[in-house]
Amino acid sequence: MDEWKPNPAIKPHKKRSWYLAWKYKLMNQRALRKLCQTGAVLFLLVTVIVNIKLILDTRRAAYEEEEESAQDYDDEMLNVEVPRHPVSNKKVLDVEVYSSRSKVYVAVDGTTVLEDEAREQGRGIHVIVLNQATGHVMAKRVFDTYSPHEDEAMVLFLNMVARGRILIFTIKDEGSFHLKDTAKNVLKSLGSQVAPFLSWRDMWTFVGKKGGEVYGEKHAKSPALSTWGDPVLLKTEVHLTSVEDAECHWPDTELNRRRKRFCSKVEGYGSVCSCKDPTPIEFNPDPLKDNKVFDVPVAVIAGNRPNYLYRMLRSLLSAQGINPQMITVFIDGYYEEPMDVVELFGLSGIQHTPISIKNARVSQHYKASLTATFNLFPDAKFAVVLEEDLDISVDFFSFLSQSIHLLEEDESLYCISAWNDQGYEHTAEDPSLLYRVETMPGLGWVLRKSLYKDELEPKWPTPEKLWDWDMWMRMPEQRKGRECIIPDISRSYHFGIVGLNMNGYFHEAYFKKHKFNTVPNVQLKNVESLRKDAYETEIHRLLGEAEVLDHSKNPCEDSFVPDTEGRVYVMFIRMEQEADFTTWTQLAKCLHIWDLDVRGNHKGLWRLFRKKNHFLVVGVPASPYSSKKPSSVTPIYMEPPAKEEGAVAVPAVAAAEQT
Amino acid sequence: MQRINKNVVLALLSLTSLVFLLFQLYYYKFYLSQKNGAVFSKVRGSQSGQDSTRWHVIRKFLGLISSHNIPVYLIDPLILGLVDKDIEQIRSSPDGPSAECKYFCAQRDFTTFALLEKTWKHEVGLFRTAEKMGFQWLKIINKDPRLDGMDDLSGIEIPLHYIFKLASHAIHLVVFYERSGNYLWHGPLRLKQHMDRKFVPFRKLHFGRYPGAYEKPELVLVSIDDLKVQIPKNPSSFLEEMSHSRFLECRYREARAFFQLYPDDASLDAVEFRKKAKSLLHLAALTLNNLGVKFWLSSGTCLGWYRQCSVIPYSKDVDLGVFIRDYKADIIPAFQKAGLPLKHKFGKVEDSLELSFQGEDDVKLDIFFFYEEDDYIWNGGTQAKSGKKFKYLFPKFTLCWTEFVELKVHVPCETRQYVEANYGPDWKVPVKMWDWKSSPSNVQYNGVWPVDEWDDVIQIY
């Protein structure tokens, strides 16, 4: 920049000031003037360059600093998912609904949200609930209204759906045979013109808003009994409302935020989403004094039955002594709705990619869940294992708290279970009474970590073995003669009627009449007598005081047991060796208790209640307690029915209790 | 006249440019002179000694935390270093008011606290209160390593670090998780793409460059600069632990890929061997830890960890490495006391020492002692019948923690080089026939023991 000076060689001609001389020269000497101008321009250019350089350097330095601070700290996962496109702000949804004999589908804005063309499946009325503000599918149900009572379920469901939701109906195959007037009236009240006149093999589609306008309805009458109506395709438009209108205005609390998130996504959970008086989602049951299971993790094994899970978690969270922090829900598959339920209650949930099929899938899910539980709670010595289709008794944790030390101290124990396989309404009586049994009932049980880690986990059935995990656990190789402690009155209730090994008939026959404790804070009786040796003493004492029943009578008759209360009776049945359960099975059948395989036995002894009397059954001569049999008594023998039916049925449904 | 004006304007313009340019040069020089300077980290205040801002921020933070019943403890290495010097005095006067602000007032960008995850209920309320108090906060979450080994579970991501910032000071809250093996683990601090990289100078944080493993600390409540705070009972041992706390996660994904190629042996024998190897390893770890002898997984056991995250079922023994400088004469009696009799002893402390103990049912525990040279590390082998010596060379390595069969143990941080030195580039392929004298790729013939020393250097029981 030094060059930029008036040329020193050129001196002013006249005695003028330097400035004037300079000015003069500038004015007069074109060359010099040019030079100066070029110089100035050059100078400006340099300034600009220096400026740019400075800016660049500064930025680079700043960037380096930033790089430096963040280097090593960058998440390797650079392919972080691109934020999803915001739901389009479109105000109108195009809805297409198709109804025919063999296929139904529903498309919302070109996206198929329901498609069912499977044969022999999905008969009846399909219902889809859409959120009126977002257009998201909130519930999908199918009610087989060809069969009885399904219409009642549909009415129940429709009544639960919040006002303002968009409802889509379509019939596959047949949906009118058992569609009673009540249901038809509900459909009519939703705005359907056709519903009251729906008849045999009609095709029908309907789109409407609950408590509001009708967006469209199409109907095709069946021309004759033997044929179906023509397929119908309904195309219509649904106008979306604003989000504010679709939501309730609950006070802004953490709980209500969870509720809001839940209620804007799913439907069919009743009053939890009611605007006026929503049912609580936090329960705060009384804490237990001296709770020994407060720090025991609780693993809830779930599949895709979110309504079950909802009911189950409600009862679990209402149980006294529950510690919600210890609960983990393991969902078999990437199902959204069960996860929504888990989040509604503020619990933690883990999803599991399904491995294998059917029973093996359940079995692998169990293994992953148990391993994960002990990983997540490395301090835990035990884990409580629950399933999504159980109600949990209010004193479930009190029961465990009083008995868990036995599992810790008594090596001869395999588990503590809340479920008594033989504890039916008519065979269970005493909430404070516990038994030792050689079978593992499951359905709400406690697993010792050492048993799992040292024995079960390493040899758990691999995915290609289509075994039931519970049947496997009951095998002698695993159980090794150890026993489980169970209560007389179950602390869990199995309410699931849909499941892998479950159906309505089966549930009605074997589970519905199961006794379930509802009394809080039951003080268990004589827990120490459940230890291995003490229990033998206890049994001998019981048998010692028991009155021998009249063996000439028919044990199936009610009169077999006298009309007394609070007495102890004993009967002897024939049992040639340890595995001879012929007579027991027949007895179990006529007593209407679990007879599909042998449950609840302890060294050839069964304990239950009849007419409020303790009723002992001893298998002679296999049981070591046979010595208590008076020599005059002949053990009762009951022959299996001549038909082979029973024998065939047993292996097929033996596993059925687990779902 | 017009011409004059034009030139005047030009001159003036040039003049301003000159001034501007000079200013720029000056500024540039000023910037260059403090490359790491304060220009870009405006959070930093003056460099002069006392700073009550920090003390106030910490006080506020402790108030916030205690109002939510969250037990945190101080793990800031710089403060613990200071505290350690005066530990007696601090412990003896838990309530006495301090004359000056000695610890929490030194000018610093952040202070580090630890939080035990299981003592915390994850309430959202904490953050809302924090915001009301003026804190800005940042949460760093990542996937749960406790579920990492599980094939197909996708849990929710767990919080690993929190940073609370108020005015010019930040609180770095490290979340410690309990893991199988009875130890505490904290995660690495990794920023997701959208995160504010300048929230705090992340690079300067003391925790988070790597994940770390720690013993469960004993805590003590003390009063430091009039603030009640929990600190590790023995700050110096905590700092010691911190200096080599780096944790390596097992490579579960690679292990899964390995088992895809070579399905796991699920036979009863394999199950039994794994069980025995696990209990032997637990016993050995207990014994060596009690003696204070640092050890790591070596040879086949290390390969099993690195390649498949489990014990190799046909390996038939458990191999550990120990630096010869950590050798203690008590090792042999201690193992014998633990029920593991000495099976053989090869070499001597000065050269090629190797101990073998007999575990339950033929499962053997081998302890190889490693000798450090300037540019490599080696251990020795001896052939009993011929007295031949072998030398196995390894590139230099440091030790990291990992979790193996529910145990917190050391492995060489540079595991790949270690395993490759031992097993060659094809270590990924299972080899059932292994000859320790010829198979390893790092074996060197190392002469023969002098015959008169044989009684000493080849002891077989």
Side-chain angles (χ1 to χ4, degrees), chain B residues 273-289 295-298 300-302 304-305 309-312 317-321 335 340 359-360 363-367 402-411:
Chain B
F273 175 73
R274 283 198 168 132
K275 200 172 145 188
K276 281 178 207 152
K278 177 179 167 185
S279 66
L280 181 60
L281 192 55
H282 275 252
L283 187 58
L286 185 71
T287 312
L288 289 172
N289 287 340
F295 68 95
W296 65 90
L297 304 182
S298 190
T301 312
C302 185
W305 170 78
C309 296
S310 68
V311 175
I312 301 176
D317 51 15
V318 171
D319 304 311
L320 302 181
F335 272 106
L340 300 174
E360 191 195 341
V363 187
K364 192 161 60 101
L365 173 71
D366 290 328
I367 301 182
T402 192
E403 183 184 312
F404 187 56
V405 293
E406 289 164 65
L407 205 58
K408 174 189 158 215
V409 284
H410 276 125
V411 287

Side-chain angles (χ1 to χ4, degrees), chain B residues 19-34:
Chain B
V19 173
F20 186 52
L21 180 69
L22 286 173
F23 171 72
Q24 296 265 314
L25 278 174
Y26 170 75
Y27 180 78
Y28 190 52
K29 204 177 149 199
F30 169 80
Y31 168 69
L32 280 178
S33 69
Q34 23 182 310

Side-chain angles (χ1 to χ4, degrees), chain A residues 1 4 19 22-23 26-27 33 36-37 40 43-44 46-47 50-51 53-54 57-58 61-62 64-66 68-76 78 80 253-254 257 325 330 334 339 348-353 355 367-369 371-372 374-376 378-379 449 453-455 458-459 462, chain B residues 3-4 6-8 10-11 13-14 17-18 20-21 24-25 27-28 31 35-36 40-41 44 118 120-122 124 128 142 144 146-147 150-156 178-182 189-193 197-198 200-205 207-209 216 266 268 271 275 278 406:
Chain A
M1 277 108 264
W4 195 78
Y19 170 71
W22 179 53
K23 197 171 80 180
L26 284 179
M27 277 159 49
R33 204 178 68 217
C36 289
Q37 278 178 350
F43 174 71
L44 279 168
V46 169
T47 318
V50 169
N51 260 308
K53 188 167 154 47
L54 179 75
D57 279 359
T58 315
E64 267 167 14
E65 167 104 352
E66 180 190 323
E68 242 184 317
S69 66
Q71 205 186 53
D72 296 332
Y73 292 93
D74 274 326
D75 202 321
E76 303 132 40
L78 279 177
V80 189
T253 62
E254 181 48 34
R257 280 181 202 194
Q325 281 224 237
F330 294 92
Y334 290 97
M339 205 60 178
S348 60
I350 288 175
Q351 288 170 318
H352 180 211
T353 317
I355 310 171
K367 182 187 181 187
S369 307
T371 304
F374 289 120
N375 279 354
L376 290 172
D379 270 358
K449 179 179 184 179
K453 280 283 165 191
D454 299 343
E455 300 182 39
K459 49 180 184 176
T462 44
Chain B
R3 266 194 184 173
I4 296 172
K6 197 173 162 190
N7 282 310
V8 167
L10 197 72
L13 217 113
S14 308
S17 298
L18 185 70
F20 186 52
L21 180 69
Q24 296 265 314
L25 278 174
Y27 180 78
Y28 190 52
Y31 168 69
K35 182 127 185 136
N36 303 317
F40 300 105
S41 331
R44 245 162 287 178
K118 77 165 191 177
W120 184 40
K121 293 196 169 65
H122 294 270
V124 197
R128 226 168 284 164
N142 217 323
D144 191 336
R146 297 168 301 178
L147 301 176
M150 316 268 326
D151 289 2
D152 318 277
L153 294 189
S154 55
I156 24 181
E178 249 173 60
R179 292 188 52 179
S180 308
N182 203 25
L189 195 156
R190 298 289 178 270
L191 298 174
K192 301 243 157 109
Q193 264 182 334
R197 260 138 235 279
K198 289 191 213 162
V200 286
F202 287 102
R203 200 181 163 76
K204 297 204 169 64
L205 297 178
F207 290 81
R209 168 166 291 236
K216 291 181 192 168
L268 217 57
V271 169
K275 200 172 145 188
K278 177 179 167 185
E406 289 164 65

